[in-house]
Amino acid sequence: QETIQNSRRLAKDKIAKGGYIHTSRTTVCSQDGEIKSILGKDFDPEKKYLTAFPRNFLAGIDNHKPLLDWATTKKQEELPSDHSATPAKLILVELFSALFWLRFGSFEELSRGGGV
């Protein structure tokens, strides 16, 4: 919750800094990022919730200080390793390669012109 609130405070500066943390549509937050409910149930700060965020947040990208402070209290093996995720660049290259290939059409369409 502190990390979400911190990201919202930074966004109020009206200077594009990145790092604004979005939540899912099942999470209700106040304007300042205080979590009100998750999946229709009141938020319990003592409860553990499954969450996801870019692994680079733990490397300091966008300087999410509350998250970085939390990470310093954990053992290295409790944190995701550098190899625990697929880099977004690889996913995008795979997606755009597939879309590029699909633009060629089917083999049947290609061979209508007397080619292959």
Side-chain angles (χ1 to χ4, degrees):
Q1 177 165 302
E2 291 174 30
T3 300
I4 294 170
Q5 289 176 311
N6 187 59
S7 81
R8 307 288 163 91
R9 276 193 294 275
L10 294 174
K12 288 182 181 178
D13 293 345
K14 298 191 176 93
I15 299 171
K17 295 181 181 175
Y20 182 93
I21 296 180
H22 297 269
T23 57
S24 72
R25 61 188 168 128
T26 61
T27 302
V28 176
C29 294
S30 66
Q31 284 294 104
D32 69 350
E34 180 184 358
I35 301 172
K36 298 295 187 181
S37 67
I38 297 176
L39 293 171
K41 296 180 182 170
D42 289 345
F43 173 68
D44 178 358
E46 300 302 316
K47 185 176 176 183
K48 290 186 179 186
Y49 295 90
L50 179 64
T51 187
F53 55 85
R55 198 236 166 270
N56 287 342
F57 280 3
L58 294 175
I61 194 167
D62 293 330
N63 194 30
H64 292 293
K65 187 162 176 19
L67 181 64
L68 295 171
D69 291 346
W70 169 84
T72 63
T73 69
K74 301 296 174 192
K75 296 176 183 169
Q76 191 62 38
E77 58 270 9
E78 293 179 290
L79 299 172
S81 73
D82 291 342
H83 306 289
S84 64
T86 304
K89 181 178 180 179
L90 295 179
I91 295 169
L92 292 173
V93 166
E94 186 175 327
L95 169 69
F96 288 117
S97 296
L99 291 173
F100 182 74
W101 180 255
L102 289 172
R103 290 191 60 158
F104 285 123
S106 69
F107 286 110
E108 182 179 297
E109 291 170 323
L110 291 172
S111 58
R112 282 189 201 148
V116 182

